Amino acid sequence: MAKSPEQEHPQEAFGWAARDPSGLLSPFKFSRRATGEKDVKFKVLFCGICHSDLHSVKNEWGFSTYPLVPGHEIVGEVVEVGSKVEKFKVGDKVGVGCLVGSCGSCDNCHDHLENYCPKMILTYGAIYHDGTMTYGGYSNMMVVNEHFAIKFPQNMPLDAGAPLLCAGITVYSPMRFFGLDRPGVHLGVVGLGGLGHVAVKFAKAMGVKVTVISSSPGKREEAVQRLGADAFLVSSDINQIQAAMGTMDGIIDTVSAVHPMLPLIGLLKHNGKLVLIGAPDRPLELPVFPLIMGRKIVAGSCIGGMKETQEMIDFAAKHKITADIEVISIDHLNTAMDRLAKGDVKYRFVIDIGNTLKQA
Amino acid sequence: MAKSPDQEHPHKAFGWAARDKSGLLSPFHFSRRENGDEDVTIKILFCGVCHSDLHVAKNEWGFTNYPVVPGHEIVGTVMKVGSNVKKFKVGERVGVGVIVGSCKKCESCQQDLENYCPQTIFTYNSHYTDGTKTYGGYSDMIVVDERFVLRFPDNLPSEGGAPLLCAGITVYSPMKYYGMTEPGKHLGVAGLGGLGHVAVKIGKAFGLKVTVISSSPKKEAEAIERLGADSFLVTSDRTKMKAALGTMDYIIDTVSAVHPLLPLLSLLKLNGKLVTVGLFDKPLELPIFPLVLGRKLVGGNEIGGMKETQEMLDFCAKHGVTADVEVIRMDYINTAMERLAKYDVKYRFVIDVASSLSQ
């Protein structure tokens, strides 16, 4: 008979978990594995709230298993290292993102593309090599294989840097892969939320011209004055969209709800690329004519591998890029989730785990 | 007041046109322009029947301007050349494909991508620079700007070569653009019709492993034994589709009706590319998860520029690639269109215009 979450591992842990698709989170006792020879054990200081956490606790994608401890934008301080750990020592600051394991032997793993390994193990809601459930960063401590821990740059604030571990890599990777990362490129960013605002910052640091495309006219000033976007289009304003047709080399689409693709495809120059990184739970409608007539593509991208995630965070540190955050205490978690569902956050909640998560 | 079709230009011409959305074609008198300095006058020998001809004859895309003379897979001989024409002389065998004009000045035209020029003029159902309608190859002759005429390689037969002018370039161009030409890589071809069968042949000529993906089990023997495909997948065969998951580097999707993309996307490896070339008027359902989790893409492509079309013809001549055709008389065209609508052709009808088009 399977052991309870509290008993299955030797090290006690606690956090907040969702227990059913209502998505309500509450205190939860569980346990972490012993610190193996290649493992790093750290106390969690901050954890960003990613929209995926909300999708997962409410089982919106249909594959959640409960109890579920979300959180994959985790920053902490190392308290113990295994005997064969080379990259970290006690006291170092580390980050953990969306992955905590992969097969290590396939072509993708060898190419530093652990995120495309067919056996990749997600930080929460997945089954680890030992057959037990993975629990994420809304918790007091974690044990992770050093390969999946990121060295946190010294000059980067821990709280504002945490969201980069998912939001950051999710936009950085496709910008690099699809060549939307150099001066002369005109990039559209659809959606100005957790992903979108980081995309604007990275793009400006790369010398890219950025137009934000949003359904909220109220975000214009923010986008242009504070985040540095070059232009702002309201997606429902037909005149604005028409005027911008055929002007963009690429579009990073961060919107995680079903939305029309036709106007976005129209905004692309020919050979343009629409890259989807938001994950709606239903298929989108793909009009074929404009794709064919303009030799355009629609593509997807999923986070990034460990090497690229480290590269991304070092790039962000060099260019002083962090997320814009609202720090909350763990007790505000459910309220924060409600606000996130309404898009009411600029632009990421980050839980101050270190100071506010106390065992009951 | 606008002149009638048979009076607007100095040279009398004769063809078959559709006059309404029944799509039924019938004899039609019209006229062609004077052969200008840059023009070539061509006596039409053969014209392929492309599925687009059927879509336009029946106004399925909503922008048909009747009467319409379809036909954009034209092979003929040069009868006259303008004073500035350098590439062709009288008596030569030439081809005309999907476009007969462009602005010649924009970035696309300067890069030999006339097919992406915002002012592309199509061989039929468009308006020419002089404001008159363009009429296609279901007719006895055509006058075309030399830039849009193709040299027909000596060893390429007219009947089997004509369909390459649309079907050939439609699959060749995305195969080159999306890098689907590395020997040993695995190409899926969805749909085995006019476009699909040419894609199989060109794929084999590039040294690719080719799997045909089709809803018709009956096409298997044909695909493998005659066309040279390496394997054949029936989309409704779950076991075989499952076994083929994540095995293809690219897929050319030639299916010309709405169809599910999810099974095709699942056949692709990581970073796999699905290029859709079938034109239809309703959107496809695009499931996002397979794109995101596999960094895959869906792309489109529209024919090719003139330079690439010539390159394609020369490539096909060199590798012995021609379309499989059923040659018909002009007066069979309506029956042919009905059969085409039911996909009852292996794999392209070609009208023997010169022998059968009589006033």
Side-chain angles (χ1 to χ4, degrees):
Chain A
M1 189 175 124
K3 290 188 177 168
S4 74
E6 268 187 84
Q7 290 167 339
E8 62 186 351
H9 294 296
Q11 305 198 67
E12 281 179 11
F14 60 91
W16 279 43
R19 285 155 162 86
D20 59 48
S22 70
L24 276 172
L25 296 120
S26 54
F28 172 67
K29 288 187 193 166
F30 62 108
S31 50
R32 295 281 190 196
R33 67 177 185 272
T35 308
E37 48 188 22
K38 295 212 177 147
D39 285 338
V40 169
K41 174 177 162 184
F42 62 96
K43 71 175 185 216
V44 178
L45 298 172
F46 292 97
C47 188
I49 299 184
C50 176
H51 209 127
S52 304
D53 298 349
L54 180 57
H55 290 307
S56 298
V57 298
K58 294 195 157 200
N59 198 19
E60 283 171 5
W61 291 328
F63 52 76
S64 299
T65 42
Y66 298 99
L68 195 155
V69 176
H72 55 206
E73 297 180 341
I74 314 166
V75 179
E77 184 182 300
V78 178
V79 296
E80 187 186 343
V81 297
S83 55
K84 293 198 173 153
V85 165
E86 284 166 16
K87 290 195 314 182
F88 300 97
K89 54 189 196 306
V90 171
D92 281 350
K93 301 291 190 287
V94 293
V96 171
C98 304
L99 304 179
V100 292
S102 69
C103 82
S105 52
C106 68
D107 283 345
N108 293 330
C109 285
H110 284 137
D111 290 338
H112 306 291
L113 293 169
E114 298 88 350
N115 51 318
Y116 298 117
C117 168
K119 298 189 178 159
M120 68 160 171
I121 301 172
L122 300 174
T123 301
Y124 62 81
I127 303 293
Y128 200 64
H129 300 299
D130 60 10
T132 64
M133 178 74 77
T134 55
Y135 294 113
Y138 295 12
S139 60
N140 67 324
M141 67 89 141
M142 265 189 95
V143 177
V144 70
N145 181 304
E146 84 168 319
H147 186 83
F148 294 91
I150 296 291
K151 283 194 205 185
F152 211 77
Q154 290 201 338
N155 61 326
M156 179 174 280
L158 303 179
D159 50 4
L164 296 177
L165 293 159
C166 178
I169 185 60
T170 297
V171 300
Y172 181 91
S173 185
M175 287 171 73
R176 289 290 191 210
F177 184 72
F178 291 101
L180 302 171
D181 60 346
R182 58 208 65 168
V185 165
H186 180 187
L187 176 71
V189 175
V190 185
L192 197 64
L195 293 176
H197 90 289
V198 173
V200 174
K201 294 188 183 196
F202 275 132
K204 292 318 297 170
M206 292 167 177
V208 167
K209 173 180 170 187
V210 179
T211 295
V212 169
I213 303 144
S214 169
S215 55
S216 324
K219 292 187 178 181
R220 176 186 292 272
E221 202 183 312
E222 179 77 5
V224 174
Q225 319 278 36
R226 228 172 53 71
L227 296 172
D230 298 275
F232 185 93
L233 282 182
V234 179
S235 46
S236 54
D237 185 326
I238 296 197
N239 294 330
Q240 285 183 31
I241 296 282
Q242 280 266 36
M245 296 287 253
T247 59
M248 300 181 193
D249 297 283
I251 293 175
I252 297 275
D253 185 350
T254 76
V255 174
S256 59
V258 170
H259 57 288
M261 302 226 294
L262 183 57
L264 300 179
I265 295 176
L267 290 171
L268 293 168
K269 292 177 187 171
H270 76 250
N271 299 341
K273 305 165 190 176
L274 171 60
V275 186
L276 306 170
I277 52 177
D281 55 352
R282 285 197 306 281
L284 297 183
E285 258 188 18
L286 176 68
V288 167
F289 256 89
L291 217 60
I292 287 180
M293 304 302 271
R295 196 162 62 177
K296 302 176 185 180
I297 70 169
V298 178
S301 182
C302 179
I303 44 173
M306 297 319 300
K307 183 167 178 241
E308 194 174 34
T309 307
Q310 185 70 60
E311 177 193 301
M312 175 278 306
I313 213 154
D314 294 337
F315 177 89
K318 179 174 168 189
H319 293 272
K320 299 198 180 354
I321 294 172
T322 54
D324 293 355
I325 62 173
E326 183 177 328
V327 181
I328 61 160
S329 81
I330 190 77
D331 314 293
H332 274 93
L333 182 52
N334 288 309
T335 309
M337 287 294 202
D338 283 344
R339 285 178 53 197
L340 177 59
K342 290 180 270 188
D344 174 24
V345 55
K346 281 200 185 114
Y347 290 97
R348 258 308 196 244
F349 290 110
V350 174
I351 312 169
D352 182 352
I353 299 273
N355 290 319
T356 68
L357 178 65
K358 313 258 185 255
Q359 188 155 20
Chain B
M1 188 176 123
K3 289 188 178 169
S4 68
D6 60 341
Q7 287 171 346
E8 60 186 351
H9 293 297
H11 293 292
K12 297 228 177 303
F14 174 68
W16 279 47
R19 287 158 161 83
D20 58 48
K21 60 187 185 31
S22 69
L24 278 171
L25 296 122
S26 53
F28 173 67
H29 292 275
F30 64 108
S31 49
R32 295 285 191 191
R33 69 174 183 273
E34 190 61 65
N35 196 90
D37 296 337
E38 323 273 329
D39 287 336
V40 174
T41 296
I42 301 164
K43 171 181 150 86
I44 296 177
L45 300 174
F46 293 94
C47 187
V49 178
C50 176
H51 210 128
S52 305
D53 298 350
L54 178 56
H55 288 309
V56 174
K58 293 189 151 199
N59 197 18
E60 283 171 4
W61 292 334
F63 52 78
T64 302
N65 191 356
Y66 293 105
V68 62
V69 175
H72 56 206
E73 297 181 339
I74 307 166
V75 180
T77 47
V78 176
M79 306 294 284
K80 187 173 178 189
V81 297
S83 53
N84 291 341
V85 167
K86 303 206 170 29
K87 292 194 305 185
F88 303 100
K89 46 189 200 310
V90 171
E92 269 192 76
R93 203 166 51 128
V94 293
V96 175
V98 181
I99 53 184
V100 292
S102 71
C103 82
K104 301 187 188 175
K105 297 189 290 247
C106 69
E107 218 181 302
S108 295
C109 285
Q110 291 190 21
Q111 291 170 7
D112 299 309
L113 292 170
E114 299 88 349
N115 51 320
Y116 296 116
C117 168
Q119 291 171 56
T120 308
I121 302 172
F122 295 105
T123 302
Y124 61 84
N125 199 44
S126 261
H127 282 95
Y128 202 63
T129 48
D130 61 9
T132 62
K133 242 162 61 162
T134 55
Y135 294 112
Y138 294 12
S139 60
D140 55 359
M141 59 90 104
I142 188 169
V143 178
V144 181
D145 180 313
E146 141 179 72
R147 182 167 172 159
F148 300 91
V149 178
L150 296 140
R151 199 185 52 249
F152 218 75
D154 286 340
N155 63 325
L156 200 58
S158 299
E159 301 91 323
L164 298 176
L165 293 158
C166 178
I169 187 61
T170 295
V171 300
Y172 180 88
S173 182
M175 288 172 75
K176 295 286 305 248
Y177 180 71
Y178 289 97
M180 305 177 168
T181 56
E182 283 181 61
K185 296 275 187 175
H186 188 181
L187 170 73
V189 176
L192 196 66
L195 293 177
H197 89 290
V198 172
V200 172
K201 294 188 184 197
I202 293 182
K204 292 311 299 170
F206 277 127
L208 303 171
K209 173 179 168 187
V210 177
T211 295
V212 170
I213 307 151
S214 169
S215 54
S216 325
K218 292 185 299 207
K219 294 187 179 182
E220 178 159 5
E222 177 78 8
I224 299 200
E225 281 148 41
R226 234 171 50 69
L227 297 173
D230 297 278
S231 56
F232 188 92
L233 270 184
V234 181
T235 41
S236 55
D237 185 335
R238 286 198 184 179
T239 315
K240 288 218 176 129
M241 286 292 280
K242 202 169 167 186
L245 289 184
T247 58
M248 297 180 193
D249 296 281
Y250 358 85
I251 292 177
I252 293 267
D253 185 355
T254 74
V255 176
S256 62
V258 171
H259 56 286
L261 281 182
L262 182 58
L264 296 178
L265 289 172
S266 310
L267 293 171
L268 291 169
K269 296 177 184 173
L270 170 70
N271 298 338
K273 302 170 187 175
L274 183 145
V275 182
T276 176
V277 292
L279 278 173
F280 39 93
D281 58 347
K282 298 208 189 22
L284 289 177
E285 248 188 28
L286 178 66
I288 307 306
F289 265 89
L291 287 194
V292 168
L293 295 177
R295 197 160 60 180
K296 299 176 184 177
L297 65 90
V298 176
N301 192 88
E302 195 214 348
I303 41 168
M306 298 318 299
K307 183 170 175 230
E308 195 175 34
T309 308
Q310 186 68 64
E311 178 192 299
M312 175 280 303
L313 279 180
D314 297 337
F315 176 91
C316 287
K318 179 176 169 190
H319 292 274
V321 170
T322 55
D324 292 355
V325 302
E326 183 177 328
V327 180
I328 62 165
R329 296 175 49 85
M330 188 76 237
D331 55 14
Y332 189 74
I333 187 64
N334 289 310
T335 309
M337 288 291 201
E338 277 174 24
R339 285 179 52 196
L340 178 58
K342 289 181 279 195
Y343 304 106
D344 173 25
V345 56
K346 282 199 183 117
Y347 289 97
R348 258 304 197 246
F349 290 111
V350 172
I351 309 168
D352 182 347
V353 174
S355 303
S356 67
L357 179 69
S358 45
Q359 300 212 29

